Amino acid sequence: MRETSDDTTEPSSEPSTNPRGIGAFFARHRTAWLITAAAAGFALIGSGAVAVGAATSPVVTSSAQTAEVQEVAPSTSASPAPTPTATTPPPRPVPADAVPASKLRTCSVQGLTTDPRFGNMQAQALNADTGEVLFDRDAGTPNRTASVLKLLTTSAALAALGPDYRATTRVVQGSEPGTIVLVGGGDVTLTRLPTGQESIYKGAAHLDDLAARAKAAYEASNPGVPITKIVLDASYFGGDGWQPSWETSERWNGWMSIITALQVDGDRDNPVLQDSPRSTDPVARAGTAFASYFGGVPTVVGTAPVGAAELAQVQSQPVSVLVKQTLVPSDNSVAEMLGRLTAIKLGAGNTFDAIRQATPQALQAYGIDVSGIVTVDGSGLSDNNAVPPTYLTQLMLKINKREGNLGNIYDGLPVAGRSGTLSFSDRFNGGNTVARGHIFAKTGSIKTGYTLSGIVKAKDGSTLVFAIFALGKVSATARQAIDTLATGFYNCGNNLSNN
């Protein structure tokens, strides 16, 4: 059969054997049959789609329907499907708390650091309120500090001795009739000036006062027996009195005495001058001054008898005052006195070697890592001392907050253009005068290094702490380079950039 259209058909060329049967019916009603067949096909296809959907989609049935299905379902001996085991997925990684964005700082002092007067420069500056490092140049390397070491010595003394400790000079009964013993207790500030006159150490004990008390007590306990000999006992300090690494010029230039437990006026030729030449025998000078109050009787060096009766004593100013007398003028002899007294208090000994052990030990009280610190003296005159600028800035954070007894250090710091070693004519002059009155810091000066460490009350109202070292082949002009960088810190304040 060839289809020509939906409505017309061609008659068959073959005769029909059953003209009245189904075939004749189809032949006469071809179009209707095709329509009916198509409809039936679509119905079957639709039923199949529904069946497939029923097999793949969940169907909600009533309990009765479910029971009916179960009745007609064929039984099976197959095992039921295993129930899946619930598993807990691993926790998803949670990002750490976001790190706050750092302030973008734009005030650079990089150009100031290239000043050739620095030699080898190390420096660090921190925000005093947050401890954030604002500026750093090789600050973790320990190096010589010059007199900035006095910050460590005085801090150690405050920790070990306390602010109220006083050094005592005594007179005791000698082992022979007519003999008394002058026993030094480490007080280098004891003065030979008569009572009523002040040496450079304001408030110091007076030798004439001690002599008068001792004479009265001796005569009361030894009536009719004159004093004929005075023994000088300086054994409270031991070992060398002069650190081998010190320049001998420090003594005759008037910057350091030989360190003995018995001396007067820091062994100065002139008790009222800070930089006055010192002698080669501080004990003898003290003995001569003391003997003059007893008619000039002879003196000998010795030690007091064990358990000898005390006749009289005088005491130094407390450590809280001695700290200021050390820091403001950068007094080397008082610094060495405090270093030895700290070592004795801690049981480390009474020599320079004891200072090396005792100062870091005492500083542990402040909770700052002291590893790498070397203290061969108390004054900082030695090239062999080593402290990183990072230690100084961490200590300055605590000094600025006056933690413990460290407010005594703050109060003893020279002030730029105002007091102590920062009031000299070559400090904070020219363009650096803007920082006068705003920088509180300890200075350091030796042949191989110039240093400064302290606190900046910056122009923008922030507070910074800092340390600056200029080391190596340097001269006194390094002070101006240091002052200029410190003034840069003052001008930048919390906007100080590390670039």
Side-chain angles (χ1 to χ4, degrees), residues 42-328:
F42 280 119
L44 288 172
I45 293 172
S47 299
V50 171
V52 172
T56 58
S57 301
V59 177
V60 178
T61 62
S62 68
S63 58
Q65 290 173 321
T66 303
E68 182 180 357
V69 170
Q70 288 175 343
E71 284 181 359
V72 301
S75 63
T76 176
S77 60
S79 300
T83 303
T85 303
T87 58
T88 303
R92 297 176 61 187
V94 178
D97 292 340
V99 178
S102 298
K103 173 183 172 64
L104 179 61
R105 295 178 169 87
T106 58
C107 189
S108 175
V109 294
Q110 174 59 29
L112 304 179
T113 67
T114 59
D115 191 324
R117 294 176 296 183
F118 271 122
N120 298 319
M121 194 269 288
Q122 296 176 252
Q124 187 178 67
L126 312 180
N127 181 302
D129 295 322
T130 66
E132 182 179 2
V133 177
L134 304 181
F135 181 86
D136 188 288
R137 296 294 183 275
D138 192 27
T141 302
N143 228 317
R144 64 185 68 90
T145 61
S147 284
V148 165
L149 187 77
K150 293 181 176 71
L151 292 171
L152 277 68
T153 303
T154 51
S155 297
L158 286 165
L161 302 170
D164 300 326
Y165 177 91
R166 297 171 185 261
T168 302
T169 306
R170 301 180 300 131
V171 177
V172 301
Q173 184 75 49
S175 57
E176 301 172 358
T179 301
I180 59 174
V181 185
L182 175 62
V183 183
D187 181 13
V188 304
T189 70
L190 179 69
T191 184
R192 65 188 185 273
L193 291 178
T195 299
Q197 295 183 30
E198 293 281 12
S199 71
I200 62 164
Y201 302 123
K202 300 291 189 269
H206 286 264
L207 199 62
D208 65 347
D209 180 30
L210 179 62
R213 295 184 193 186
K215 182 183 292 186
Y218 175 85
E219 290 175 350
S221 58
N222 299 274
V225 181
I227 296 172
T228 56
K229 185 171 68 174
I230 299 173
V231 176
L232 308 176
D233 184 349
S235 62
Y236 199 56
F237 291 169
D240 293 336
W242 191 262
Q243 224 288 332
S245 60
W246 292 348
E247 296 279 347
T248 55
S249 60
E250 301 286 349
R251 181 174 56 79
W252 65 66
N253 285 331
W255 298 330
M256 175 65 91
S257 64
I258 296 172
I259 303 305
T260 56
L262 175 61
Q263 61 182 270
V264 289
D265 304 305
D267 195 40
R268 290 169 173 82
D269 287 350
N270 187 337
V272 299
L273 294 179
Q274 181 66 40
D275 299 332
S276 178
R278 319 297 173 97
S279 77
T280 58
D281 193 347
V283 175
R285 173 176 271 171
T288 298
F290 187 69
S292 68
Y293 299 107
F294 298 90
V297 299
T299 61
V300 296
V301 175
T303 56
V306 176
E310 181 178 291
L311 300 173
Q313 67 166 248
V314 291
Q315 292 186 316
S316 72
Q317 292 276 55
V319 166
S320 58
V321 174
L322 296 174
V323 163
K324 298 175 181 63
Q325 292 179 339
T326 301
L327 297 176
V328 174

